């Protein structure tokens, strides 16, 4: 079963705008990760945030984690058409990853 | 570093047939994972190996599924007597003993059972 929920399920924006995706999870975690998946392909690891961290940046990506609310958000700034993909959060459950259902992001040029 | 590779990339089979998929992890990655992903859903964990030992199996892995990693390098996932509900993308990932948190995924094998 899926660990959590992602919101929104789909997001459509114009190039240059920011995109924010949210993830909620149910159990205690060691870390939370975000992955990107282009249509019909494998997953690419974007960023990992540990349970004792509140915010992390990587390039145009900003991830926040609120363990009290069991939620995380992924912000992509200055989006590009190439950012069009599905984005998944995943929590580490003792070695295996438990994924959310994903947010499908469409960035229109 | 060539990344995780999977073979075949696509497989179409008739219901009732057996299929086998192969995964080659990144060299020196001691952990190897199998996930299944259906359309519109996130990947679901199936099983994982540390070296040649299979450490955990999901309840999703019915008796018709078997995974092996005989020499602690490549792994195979076999599905016997395939059913239409087995149609999915089968993803393999690997991680290094020093960075087990970070799993690197292969391109997946898309199975279609007709």
């Amino acid at each position: 079963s899926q660990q959590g929920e992602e919101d929104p399920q789909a997001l459509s924006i114009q190039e240059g705008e920011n995109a924010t995706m949210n993830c909620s999870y149910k159990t205690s975690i060691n870390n939370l990760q975000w992955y990107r998946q282009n249509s019909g392909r494998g997953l690419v690891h974007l960023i990992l945030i540990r349970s004792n961290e509140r915010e992390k940046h990587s390039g145009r990506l900003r991830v926040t984690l609120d363990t009290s609310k069991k939620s995380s958000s992924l912000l992509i700034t200055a989006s590009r058409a190439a950012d069009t993909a599905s984005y998944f959060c995943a929590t580490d459950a003792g070695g295996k990853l438990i994924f959310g259902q994903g947010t499908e992001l469409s960035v229109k040029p | 570093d060539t990344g995780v590779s999977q073979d075949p990339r696509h497989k179409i089979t008739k219901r009732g047939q057996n299929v086998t998929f192969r995964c080659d992890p990144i060299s020196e990655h001691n952990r190897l994972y199998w996930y299944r992903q259906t359309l519109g859903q996130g990947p679901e964990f199936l099983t994982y190996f540390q070296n040649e030992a299979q450490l955990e199996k999901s309840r999703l892995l019915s008796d018709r599924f078997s995974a092996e990693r005989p020499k602690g390098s490549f792994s195979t996932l076999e599905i016997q007597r395939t059913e239409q509900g087995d149609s999915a993308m089968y993803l393999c990932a690997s991680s290094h003993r020093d960075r087990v948190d970070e799993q690197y995924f292969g391109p997946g094998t898309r199975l279609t059972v007709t």
Side-chain angles (χ1 to χ4, degrees):
Chain A
S1 63
Q2 302 294 332
Q3 159 73 297
E5 308 269 333
E6 293 188 62
D7 172 56
Q9 289 190 329
L11 180 61
S12 182
I13 59 174
Q14 294 294 131
E15 215 169 18
E17 293 180 340
N18 296 343
T20 300
M21 290 160 263
N22 303 297
C23 166
S24 60
Y25 57 92
K26 297 174 183 173
T27 61
S28 297
I29 60 170
N30 295 322
N31 63 68
L32 185 143
Q33 305 178 41
W34 286 89
Y35 285 81
R36 182 186 72 221
Q37 185 177 39
N38 292 91
S39 180
R41 296 190 176 183
L43 290 101
V44 174
H45 183 268
L46 295 177
I47 195 165
L48 179 153
I49 185 164
R50 300 198 182 281
S51 59
N52 61 353
E53 297 175 311
R54 291 296 168 259
E55 188 171 312
K56 200 161 183 180
H57 297 254
S58 176
R60 293 183 297 113
L61 305 180
R62 173 179 166 248
V63 170
T64 61
L65 179 65
D66 186 336
T67 53
S68 67
K69 295 181 179 177
K70 291 187 168 57
S71 67
S72 174
S73 67
L74 171 68
L75 168 67
I76 304 174
T77 60
S79 64
R80 304 167 182 169
D83 294 328
T84 294
S86 293
Y87 291 81
F88 296 92
C89 67
T91 54
D92 186 332
K96 64 189 180 192
L97 293 176
I98 308 296
F99 287 85
Q101 292 185 323
T103 292
E104 194 172 326
L105 174 66
S106 174
V107 182
K108 301 187 186 309
Chain B
D1 193 350
T2 58
V4 178
S5 61
Q6 292 186 245
D7 182 66
R9 296 289 306 277
H10 302 273
K11 178 71 177 179
I12 300 173
T13 191
K14 292 185 178 179
R15 189 176 52 190
Q17 298 294 306
N18 299 344
V19 293
T20 300
F21 309 140
R22 176 179 169 126
C23 171
D24 287 87
I26 294 171
S27 61
E28 299 183 0
H29 278 198
N30 68 326
R31 286 197 176 185
L32 186 148
Y33 311 80
W34 286 99
Y35 293 84
R36 182 175 71 185
Q37 185 179 24
T38 53
L39 200 62
Q41 301 293 315
E44 294 178 293
F45 170 78
L46 292 179
T47 187
Y48 89 94
F49 293 84
Q50 181 161 292
N51 301 314
E52 63 274 11
Q54 188 172 19
L55 294 189
E56 187 172 349
K57 293 197 301 185
S58 162
R59 285 174 291 179
L60 292 175
L61 216 63
S62 75
D63 291 345
R64 297 185 297 105
F65 288 69
S66 64
E68 295 182 344
R69 194 183 184 199
K71 297 181 180 179
S73 56
F74 72 91
S75 174
T76 57
L77 178 68
E78 181 183 17
I79 308 174
Q80 296 183 326
R81 304 181 303 282
T82 53
E83 301 172 356
Q84 287 189 319
D86 297 331
S87 295
M89 175 79 89
Y90 290 84
L91 295 163
C92 176
S94 69
S95 65
H96 192 278
R97 63 171 54 82
D98 295 335
R99 300 294 296 270
V100 294
D101 293 343
E102 295 182 14
Q103 296 186 20
Y104 293 83
F105 282 80
T109 294
R110 183 170 295 283
L111 172 66
T112 302
V113 182
T114 62

